[in-house]
Amino acid sequence: MNRRWTARLALVAGTAALVVLLLFAGLSSILLVAVGIVGVALAAAGIWWMLTHTGWIRLLAAVLTAATPLVVLVLYTAAGLLWVVLLSIALWALAVSAGRAALVEGSAGMPERSVGPPERPFLIMNPRSGGGKVEKFHLVEKATALGVRVAVLDPDHPQDVAELARQAVREGADLLGVAGGDGTQALVAGVAAEHGLPFVVISAGTRNHFAMDLGLDRQDPAACLEALTDGVELRVDLGRISTDGPGRRSEERVFVNNASFGVYAAVVRSPAYRDDKAHTILTMLPDLLTHHSGARLRVRSESVNLDDPQAVLVSNNPYEKGDSAGLGRRGRLDSGRLGVLGIGVGNAAEATELLLRGRQGRGLTAASAREVVIDADVPVIPVGVDGESLMLPTPVRCRLDAGALRVRVPRNRPGVPHVRPPLDWGRVRRLALAMGRVAAGRDAG
């Protein structure tokens, strides 16, 4: 289906969503929409109160959060209009999906160039990553059969993976790669960038965010080995986080995904987090969200300044704007810009607005920058760097090293990302109605 017909489908589905409400609910449709909005607002407020209080207030908030959607469903059912609401929601979801698809103008993939196979590739594999994917998919055997030298990490004896990679370079390796989590990927990627060598990502971790944004097969890590026999090369950016300051020795780390500051970083840093995640989160969040504990952050860049946000995420390239949180995926890894997301919610009303309006809500700041400095009212703050919890002295500086990493990926990969533009109903309507201009050979988009 071409873009014009997809745009028309979006308009038809969106119109049908409204017509269904008006045709079968009449004036009651206004009440239906109002009930739904009030239900979402009450649920959002309940979640906020549950996260920021303890004791009986948290209990009442939990009851409110659970009961609100049930009450809304009962009201819709009692009015005999539940099916109308569900059908209208389904049509609207189709309209939004089709509208966004219509605005995608071809592939927005990163430039790639054909390359020959490496002569002395070296891969580091973590047998514990992803619940044992290295063994499950026989990655050591398959890589060895391709002539790859493999170093399998010993879970009982922690090793310096960056030093392993540097030793391989000294011994003549002409390609480095990792089968493991994003934290391990980042450490070896930094060595590859330092020596100008190509880097291979094997999606053997748990979340594999970096692999996802490269379009790699996350269900079958072995498919990533095709990069060694039929590969192409991408030039992608690397995030760098440093803590240099007056009288302080400069320290720097690489991140391929993001660095997080504030609430999330503080919770993950807690010694109790690994043993009881849910209890630790519920215990720490009230004080952290209300600023009764934790560092007070200050964020400075050329594009945004934030004072006292509860959480900050600095990413290697911005996340897409298509979902409310913007944390789905990155359409590109070569824009030369860091993504900056800051969350500052002070009360239930702002939490509700954030849930209803997403990036347009006052509690969420989204920007991009070439460099970001995070300072605080304490000398040391917790930071999550690609999922690894660290304690770093302030100020912490994040910057982007544009095009620093040569990534070798399979020529054919299932998830090559398309940049999904924000939904613009004006553009969708113009595209849907542009029949004469298209027939005349002019651009309708």
Side-chain angles (χ1 to χ4, degrees):
M1 184 183 296
N2 62 37
R3 294 174 58 223
R4 294 187 301 280
W5 282 105
T6 305
R8 292 164 191 161
L9 173 62
L11 291 184
V12 169
T15 302
L18 299 176
V19 169
V20 165
L21 279 177
L22 294 173
L23 185 62
F24 293 99
L27 293 178
S28 299
S29 61
I30 300 175
L31 182 59
L32 290 177
V33 173
V35 168
I37 293 175
V38 171
V40 172
L42 287 175
I47 292 172
W48 172 256
W49 291 325
M50 187 171 62
L51 295 178
T52 55
H53 292 81
T54 58
W56 64 270
I57 295 181
R58 171 175 284 174
L59 179 61
L60 291 177
V63 172
L64 175 65
T65 303
T68 297
L70 295 178
V71 171
V72 171
L73 290 176
V74 168
L75 291 175
Y76 286 161
T77 303
L81 296 174
L82 178 60
W83 71 271
V84 175
V85 174
L86 294 178
L87 178 58
S88 182
I89 291 174
L91 288 169
W92 185 250
L94 174 61
V96 171
S97 177
R100 293 184 60 201
L103 296 179
V104 175
E105 301 185 49
S107 173
M110 295 175 284
E112 57 186 49
R113 68 182 185 91
S114 297
V115 290
E119 295 182 0
R120 295 177 298 278
F122 176 78
L123 296 182
I124 296 173
M125 297 192 181
N126 185 347
R128 283 191 175 174
S129 288
K133 289 183 179 178
V134 168
E135 181 178 355
K136 178 181 178 181
F137 290 92
H138 309 290
L139 296 180
V140 175
E141 295 84 349
K142 292 178 179 179
T144 303
L146 295 174
V148 179
R149 186 158 66 94
V150 178
V152 181
L153 300 179
D154 184 350
D156 298 323
H157 298 87
Q159 295 166 273
D160 185 338
V161 294
E163 181 54 35
L164 274 177
R166 291 191 180 94
Q167 180 61 35
V169 173
R170 289 193 289 268
E171 294 173 356
D174 61 351
L175 176 144
L176 300 176
V178 172
D182 289 326
T184 308
Q185 299 278 1
L187 292 172
V188 180
V191 177
E194 177 185 339
H195 294 277
L197 295 179
F199 178 69
V200 165
V201 176
I202 309 297
S203 57
T206 301
R207 297 178 182 86
N208 298 300
H209 287 164
F210 191 43
M212 175 180 71
D213 294 335
L214 290 170
L216 300 177
D217 191 335
R218 295 189 295 164
Q219 305 305 315
D220 181 11
C224 300
L225 292 171
E226 293 178 13
L228 303 174
T229 56
D230 184 23
V232 294
E233 189 171 288
L234 311 174
R235 277 279 185 176
V236 307
D237 306 331
L238 275 182
R240 295 187 182 274
I241 186 168
S242 61
T243 58
D244 55 304
R248 182 191 306 159
R249 185 173 63 88
S250 177
E251 297 181 13
E252 187 175 72
R253 285 182 64 105
V254 165
F255 60 93
V256 294
N257 290 326
N258 55 59
S260 61
F261 305 81
V263 171
Y264 174 75
V267 170
V268 174
R269 185 67 185 175
S270 169
Y273 180 76
R274 286 189 178 274
D275 296 329
D276 192 344
K277 292 181 174 61
H279 182 265
T280 304
I281 291 171
L282 291 175
T283 299
M284 296 182 65
L285 277 183
D287 284 343
L288 290 171
L289 291 175
T290 56
H291 297 298
H292 291 152
S293 68
R296 292 180 177 269
L297 303 177
R298 297 184 297 276
V299 180
R300 300 289 181 265
S301 74
E302 77 273 16
S303 60
V304 64
N305 294 319
L306 299 174
D307 288 315
D308 212 14
Q310 288 141 324
V312 178
L313 187 78
V314 179
S315 58
N316 173 13
N317 284 258
Y319 287 97
E320 290 183 359
K321 298 180 180 180
D323 56 84
S324 59
L327 298 178
R329 67 183 302 168
R330 295 161 292 177
R332 304 192 69 94
L333 292 169
D334 61 348
S335 72
R337 305 281 291 181
L338 294 165
V340 184
L341 287 171
I343 297 178
V345 178
N347 51 52
E350 292 180 3
T352 300
E353 182 184 2
L354 182 60
L355 180 62
L356 290 174
R357 300 190 62 199
R359 287 198 176 214
Q360 284 68 52
R362 287 174 295 173
L364 180 65
T365 300
S368 65
R370 293 192 179 277
E371 184 175 271
V372 181
V373 177
I374 295 89
D375 207 344
D377 61 348
V378 293
V380 179
I381 58 174
V383 184
V385 182
D386 281 341
E388 183 180 353
S389 179
L390 305 173
M391 291 297 293
L392 299 179
T394 56
V396 178
R397 187 180 308 273
C398 300
R399 65 179 180 87
L400 204 66
D401 197 351
L405 183 63
R406 300 166 54 193
V407 179
R408 188 76 57 89
V409 295
R411 187 181 305 276
N412 299 309
R413 45 200 195 280
V416 177
H418 295 266
V419 176
R420 301 187 299 170
L423 183 57
D424 182 339
W425 284 110
R427 286 187 61 202
V428 172
R429 180 182 58 80
R430 290 192 296 272
L431 182 60
L433 300 178
M435 300 178 68
R437 285 178 293 166
V438 173
R442 293 191 289 271
D443 182 15

